[in-house]
Amino acid sequence: MPARIVHTADVHLDAAFAGLGAGKGPIKRQAIRDTFRKIIADAVEWPADIVIIAGDLFEIEHVSPDTVPFLAAEFRRLKDIPVVIAPGNHDPYIADGVYALTDWPSNVHVFGRTTEGLLRFPSAGISVSGFAHTSRHMEGRLLDLVGPAREDGLIPVLAVHASRESGGSSVRSGDDIWLAFTDDELASLGYRYTALGHYHNPDNIEKAGRIIGSYPGAPEGLNFSEIGRRHYSRVTLERESVEVERVPVSHIDYLDVSVDCGNFQTRQQFFDAVGNLGVNSPGRVIVRVVATGRVAPGFNISAELPEDIRQPFFHLAVDDKTVPGYDWAEIERENTLRAEVARRLGESIAAAAEGDRAMLEQARIWAIEALEGRPIELPPEVLRVD
Ligand SMILES: [Mn+2]
């Protein structure tokens, strides 16, 4: 029988949400709880043999007095399905912290609290190795803390909150790298599956065509770098095969949308385009709309969006990046240098062959923008000098 693992990480219960507007933070935090409850309910229903939480279950500086009994009650709903927690950089295992001080249900195993770094689950057919972050800033590399898999008849699994540093879309840089590892280093350890946390977007690590580890990503989006539906993973593990199924579970999702207003004559057309974004999931999307395009004179979306347009969204923000179009007849009547440039290019456009007209019209816009001191983004073919 294959082992059935529910793998999640980076839940970030009690995260702070700035910029969503008054009263929205608590609703979004409740959405995270609802998402976590759904993961637990799914684990009971599937049923999972084990639940692995690879760090950042909560944020140690924000954890509310209500969160610990909430978690304990959720874990109790799993009855005898074991839970393994590998604390991360946001929920480190510290002496006076929640993990150490709480009397967890007997099915809950927290690395850091458990003295040995290897837990055996014969009923699931797997062993789980791992460790806890013990501060917000762990030094060293993954291989400093984790030894090779031990073969003792059970399929060896590793659970860690750590940073993949090569070979994938999830690679981060800068000051958020903890316990880095390369894909080759991870493969060299010999675990049949590594349940990872830290990167908030999902990613699988493969070697020789086989998944050796994965990040399920944050199950509830936390900001605009975590776009769209979010998931936990159902892992079906045998000694020679791994299947990772991503199960959508989030409640309130982030969307980042660009709306080209170049052909719009009225604000209403913009409102209609925005209104259509929320129709499929009323109250469940946080949308940032970037309005782009060169717009007709007088076109203006800067005013407050009407309530009936806002209403379907959990939160809606508009970033107006439109630029005004030009009224050439009016510019040509001026007694200015730009009027002279506009007139001459206007004559060229009028005389141009059909195939050259669009290029000359674009040249006229760039010429006027240059005279106005605006930064101009020329396409690469214009910059080519060969
Ligand atoms: Mn995290």
Side-chain angles (χ1 to χ4, degrees):
M1 283 285 284
R4 290 143 75 98
I5 303 168
V6 161
H7 169 197
T8 188
D10 299 290
V11 183
H12 285 267
L13 290 161
D14 299 327
F17 291 93
L20 292 184
K24 300 278 184 67
I27 301 172
K28 180 64 170 152
R29 280 189 285 279
Q30 183 59 44
I32 300 179
R33 283 197 181 189
D34 292 344
T35 289
F36 187 73
R37 282 174 59 80
K38 175 80 173 111
I39 295 170
I40 297 297
D42 278 14
V44 171
E45 191 191 322
W46 185 20
D49 296 314
I50 188 167
V51 174
I52 299 179
I53 302 170
D56 288 3
L57 176 56
F58 53 81
E59 299 188 349
I60 199 165
E61 65 272 54
H62 294 128
V63 66
S64 75
D66 192 52
T67 295
V68 175
F70 163 77
L71 283 172
E74 289 303 310
F75 292 147
R76 223 169 271 122
R77 290 208 294 151
L78 290 166
K79 300 207 166 69
D80 52 3
I81 300 172
V83 182
V84 173
I85 301 172
N89 57 304
H90 283 280
D91 60 346
Y93 188 94
I94 54 175
D96 56 352
V98 161
Y99 284 132
L101 298 180
T102 303
D103 187 15
W104 296 105
S106 59
N107 61 324
V108 178
H109 308 265
V110 184
F111 286 121
R113 183 172 179 128
T114 314
T115 45
E116 74 266 51
L118 181 138
L119 301 162
R120 301 183 85 255
F121 301 98
S123 63
I126 65 171
S127 63
V128 183
S129 302
F131 62 88
H133 286 236
T134 50
S135 78
R136 290 295 308 269
H137 306 286
M138 291 278 277
E139 299 286 328
R141 296 183 63 82
L142 181 67
L143 262 57
D144 300 333
L145 288 144
V146 175
R150 269 187 268 166
E151 289 290 348
D152 61 355
L154 299 174
I155 302 174
V157 170
L158 179 64
V160 284
H161 195 81
S163 303
R164 181 191 195 187
E165 67 173 7
S166 64
S169 59
S170 61
V171 172
R172 273 193 220 176
S173 57
D175 59 2
D176 200 24
I177 298 286
W178 309 112
L179 307 175
F181 64 88
T182 66
D183 293 3
D184 285 339
E185 286 173 336
L186 188 66
S188 76
L189 291 171
Y191 294 92
R192 307 309 289 178
Y193 179 73
T194 296
L196 288 154
H198 189 47
Y199 292 159
H200 286 196
N201 286 308
D203 203 9
N204 289 342
I205 301 176
E206 294 186 21
K207 264 293 178 225
R210 182 185 180 283
I211 295 171
I212 60 168
S214 90
Y215 291 94
E220 180 77 23
L222 302 169
N223 57 54
F224 279 108
S225 60
E226 297 160 27
I227 294 295
R229 289 302 323 261
R230 316 301 299 175
H231 309 82
Y232 74 91
S233 291
R234 278 185 187 175
V235 182
T236 307
L237 178 65
E238 292 181 278
R239 190 163 285 276
E240 299 305 328
S241 74
V242 184
E243 273 177 49
V244 177
E245 180 196 354
R246 297 211 164 99
V247 183
V249 72
S250 53
H251 283 78
I252 299 174
D253 296 328
Y254 285 83
L255 278 184
D256 213 347
V257 183
S258 175
V259 173
D260 184 351
C261 302
N263 294 317
F264 293 168
Q265 304 303 313
T266 68
R267 273 159 45 96
Q268 190 59 45
Q269 286 172 290
F270 176 70
F271 294 157
D272 291 346
V274 172
N276 284 333
L277 300 171
V279 292
N280 291 326
S281 43
R284 290 186 44 175
V285 281
I286 298 168
V287 179
R288 178 170 62 193
V289 176
V290 180
T292 63
R294 183 172 298 283
V295 293
F299 180 89
N300 180 6
I301 55 165
S302 61
E304 185 78 358
L305 287 156
E307 183 52 33
D308 64 322
I309 299 294
R310 291 192 165 277
Q311 202 272 329
F313 300 96
F314 184 76
H315 183 71
L316 173 65
V318 175
D319 186 2
D320 184 2
K321 288 207 157 55
T322 59
V323 285
Y326 293 106
D327 182 340
W328 297 111
E330 192 170 322
I331 288 171
E332 287 182 21
R333 283 196 291 273
E334 297 169 3
N335 186 19
T336 60
L337 175 58
R338 74 170 195 162
E340 183 61 25
V341 170
R343 266 196 298 274
R344 291 195 191 182
L345 280 162
E347 285 165 14
S348 299
I349 290 164
E354 190 64 37
D356 294 337
R357 192 162 295 143
M359 179 188 71
L360 285 164
E361 285 176 345
Q362 183 62 66
R364 179 169 60 178
I365 288 167
W366 282 332
I368 300 303
E369 286 185 337
L371 286 169
E372 290 173 349
R374 285 185 201 255
I376 296 170
E377 280 182 48
L378 297 178
E381 63 268 24
V382 175
L383 299 172
R384 205 174 58 207
V385 292
D386 54 349

